[in-house]
Amino acid sequence: MATSPADVPATRADFTIDQDWDRYTAGEHGVWRALFHRQAELLKGRSTPEFLAGIEKLNIAADGIPDFRRLNDMLARATGWRIVAVPGLVPDDIFFDHLANRRFPSTCFIRKPEQMDYLQEPDVFHDVFGHVPLLVNPVFADYMQAYGRGGLKALGLGSLHRLARLYWYTVEFGLIRTADGLRIYGAGILSSKGESVYCLDDPQPNRIAFDLLRIMRTKYRIDDFQETYFVIDSFDQLFAATAPDFTPYYEELAATEDLEPGAVLPEDHVIHRGIARA
Ligand code: PHE
Ligand code: FE
């Protein structure tokens, strides 16, 4: 085990540790292999093509938990991002500072075999399989860095809860509309067996066209599948919509009420499953 709670190596001031890749056991690599095979199969025709392109470019494969040193060689050449190993969730300011400097904090421990279907905290499968492939995409790579800068600003403005919703409904649970229908790009879905099917196939959840202020008003669930997914048309749209200074948005939002996760407003643009065009 690289980082079981008992032997977490001392963290540095920026909370980074060493991945200690050589210490993974055959059993741990086996858990990765099983998760990888299962998601690769489930995500056929469900994940956005940019995700697959990233998986291929970085050679993320079934053989085992990737060595961050190897991934970083390729990632640095592609978009200047690199992965830094952390023991778990890190304080907000530390997290944003990493993103603002194109460093993606990734856990390195892997879930136990009995946690294959659900894990409450991020592990290396969620972080590396779910998040890292899109860092190869130049527009998404820029979005993540801009988010880090915006996070530092939101912290200072007391509006972090608003910005956190944007991360949740894009980076973690985002859907994207392609010519072939809806596809997944959110890491929380890509690394989840149940939700990668539910979010596209189940009639229950709302699928609503991306709307920045609407998202920043909407609470989210951390204990179950999402009640609402927000759908972007492209990473360019996401980047452009989030480029303006958010300070006036935060002021405006202070006068509005929060929305429940499952709320649908008359002005929402509800998107029907599998329909590619607006
Ligand atoms: N433009 C935002 C701001 O001024 C920062 C941001 C960029 C936030 C991209 C999220 C994503 O606060
Ligand atoms: Fe995540």
Side-chain angles (χ1 to χ4, degrees):
M1 191 78 179
T3 58
S4 73
D7 68 347
V8 173
T11 58
R12 307 179 185 106
D14 63 358
F15 282 75
T16 61
I17 57 174
D18 293 321
Q19 184 190 18
D20 250 336
W21 187 78
D22 298 322
R23 292 186 59 196
Y24 289 118
T25 65
E28 289 170 332
H29 286 301
V31 170
W32 171 282
R33 196 173 313 124
L35 288 166
F36 185 97
H37 278 306
R38 190 168 75 177
Q39 285 313 100
E41 196 53 44
L42 274 176
L43 291 174
K44 281 183 186 155
R46 295 176 187 274
S47 61
T48 193
E50 294 88 346
F51 169 78
L52 285 182
I55 289 273
E56 278 166 27
K57 183 137 190 187
L58 296 172
N59 263 312
I60 296 175
D63 33 326
I65 301 167
D67 187 333
F68 293 176
R69 291 167 297 193
R70 184 186 67 74
L71 288 181
N72 281 342
D73 284 343
M74 287 184 278
L75 201 50
R77 252 179 282 140
T79 52
W81 272 81
R82 72 192 166 90
I83 304 168
V84 291
V86 292
L89 295 175
V90 301
D92 295 325
D93 59 328
I94 303 280
F95 179 68
F96 295 137
D97 186 67
H98 281 305
L99 295 186
N101 290 286
R102 291 195 174 238
R103 294 186 301 262
F104 185 76
S106 170
T107 52
C108 22
F109 78 95
I110 191 144
R111 66 195 72 186
K112 303 254 180 310
E114 60 272 20
Q115 298 170 311
M116 289 291 286
D117 292 351
Y118 184 73
L119 188 68
Q120 204 154 14
E121 28 162 10
D123 71 343
V124 68
F125 184 73
H126 168 77
D127 284 329
V128 169
F129 182 88
H131 285 286
V132 169
L134 278 180
L135 294 175
V136 162
N137 179 270
V139 179
F140 195 83
D142 287 349
Y143 174 68
M144 289 291 281
Q145 177 174 29
Y147 186 91
R149 292 183 178 142
L152 292 170
K153 186 158 96 189
L155 261 180
L157 294 170
S159 293
L160 191 56
H161 61 297
R162 306 256 176 234
L163 197 66
R165 292 170 181 169
L166 178 64
Y167 192 89
W168 189 266
Y169 283 118
T170 61
V171 177
E172 294 291 355
F173 292 96
L175 297 181
I176 185 166
R177 197 149 51 158
T178 77
D180 301 318
L182 296 185
R183 292 289 184 273
I184 303 162
Y185 74 92
I189 311 177
L190 292 167
S191 61
S192 157
K193 175 197 177 204
E195 198 150 5
S196 50
V197 175
Y198 177 86
C199 71
L200 294 178
D201 292 12
D202 200 284
Q204 222 169 300
N206 310 312
R207 299 169 186 87
I208 298 176
F210 176 87
D211 176 330
L212 178 64
L213 291 176
R214 165 70 162 87
I215 287 176
M216 292 203 288
R217 288 176 66 192
T218 310
K219 298 191 266 186
Y220 56 83
R221 313 193 49 147
I222 58 166
D223 56 339
D224 201 351
F225 295 159
Q226 299 306 302
E227 291 177 51
T228 299
Y229 300 96
F230 288 94
V231 183
I232 61 171
D233 286 319
S234 65
F235 295 128
D236 284 316
Q237 175 204 21
L238 179 60
F239 189 77
T242 51
D245 179 8
F246 281 15
T247 312
Y249 297 162
Y250 295 145
E251 284 164 14
E252 183 184 331
L253 288 166
T256 67
E257 261 179 62
D258 279 349
L259 298 170
E260 291 305 314
V264 180
L265 305 177
E267 59 269 32
D268 284 337
H269 178 174
V270 175
I271 290 165
H272 294 285
R273 287 178 292 150
I275 296 177
R277 285 153 299 278

